[in-house]
Amino acid sequence: MTNRTVLVLLDPAGEVRPSVLELLTIGRTLGRVEAVTLEAPSVEALAQLGAYGVETVHQAELPADLRGDARHLSAVVAAVLTAAVRLTDADVVLAPSTFGAKEAVALAGHALGAGVIIDAAGVAEDDAGHVVGTKRVFAGSWDTVSRVTTDVAALTVRANAVVPQPAEAAVATEVEGFAVAVDAVLPAVTARTEKARDSDRPTLEEAAVVVAGGRGTEGDFGPVEAFADAVGGAVGATRDAVFEGWFDRYIGQTGVTIAPRLYVGAGVSGAPHHRGGMQASQVIVAVNNDPEAPIFEICDFAVVGDLSDVLGQAAEVIRAHKQQA
């Protein structure tokens, strides 16, 4: 491991989500890890960061006329990342693979002349000391390795790339402010409607377990949601199921792309569009009453049967096991 400085972007609200803990775990394999944030982290967040070996958090001091949602626009985040790299002389930037972070990293990479890798599934160092990122492309059918040869490497990393691991010894974390000038012409945020979350399920993009329902549900997502709650997973759907009005978020090439540790497809046929969004999953389980369903060609475990019966029985056994534990 070379003597690099690795900057990890915290969530816009200064939170430390599981995806950030993964980035900190990866960052420690590359060098000394520091964090950059747009908002003051909480006491709990600082304790988490200290447990993962972060001694310094760089908090952006933005212009006073930037308020509310304007502070979290991609151009603003990019300006913060650019200024933080120049301040710390960082060699690597790691950020979650959210839509906003991807755009911000791309803009910052352009300003810094950095090598940019988006949606990396893994990050490591090669024998020559270069940062390399692995990616799954073409609907998960190809694995690629990209080597960054520029002075700065900027990467967004998919959730579930590694299992978060605290540092061997916790450290005291200090927050240092730094001034950021935002020269970009920013769009005006005229209105914002925040959708209330109706459950405590993890977000679809970051969940380690995803349960998806397709046409085979015939509009009844009750068994899918009950099973997802039993295993602590997120719920998604196929594009057709969303277009039918049965659910609100779909997994696919033009929808949400996921890479969970476990994917369970219930009543999902396995159309190319959906496969392109979930084929990078580490373990794929398919439940379908059609033994010829295309999804059986790519799954690790196949269950031929009625999804209501299969998911219902599985959820019951899992809940009973949790009660005994």
Side-chain angles (χ1 to χ4, degrees), residues 61 66 155 187 285 298:
E61 297 173 352
L66 273 180
L155 305 92
V285 178
I298 64 167

Side-chain angles (χ1 to χ4, degrees), residues 119-197:
D119 277 344
V123 184
E125 179 183 82
D126 67 8
D127 294 337
H130 295 114
V131 174
V132 297
T134 57
K135 292 184 62 172
R136 305 202 79 178
V137 298
F138 298 119
S141 57
W142 286 73
D143 290 321
T144 64
V145 178
S146 301
R147 178 183 296 106
V148 179
T149 58
T150 52
D151 291 337
V152 179
L155 305 92
T156 67
V157 185
R158 282 185 168 186
N160 305 308
V162 298
V163 177
Q165 294 290 341
E168 293 183 2
V171 298
T173 304
E174 295 186 357
V175 179
E176 297 181 356
F178 69 105
V180 178
V182 180
D183 300 324
V185 178
L186 302 178
V189 180
T190 57
R192 180 175 184 267
T193 302
E194 185 170 344
K195 181 179 178 182
R197 294 187 63 185

Side-chain angles (χ1 to χ4, degrees), residues 57-123:
V57 175
H58 303 280
Q59 181 182 337
E61 297 173 352
L62 295 168
D65 57 348
L66 273 180
R67 297 184 178 89
D69 294 325
R71 295 170 59 88
H72 300 149
L73 292 171
S74 298
V76 177
V77 179
V80 169
L81 286 175
T82 302
V85 168
R86 289 171 175 163
L87 171 73
T88 62
D89 200 23
D91 306 283
V92 183
V93 175
L94 298 178
S97 236
T98 62
F99 287 113
K102 285 190 258 190
E103 184 176 7
V105 166
L107 292 170
H110 180 266
L112 295 165
V116 176
I117 299 176
I118 300 296
D119 277 344
V123 184

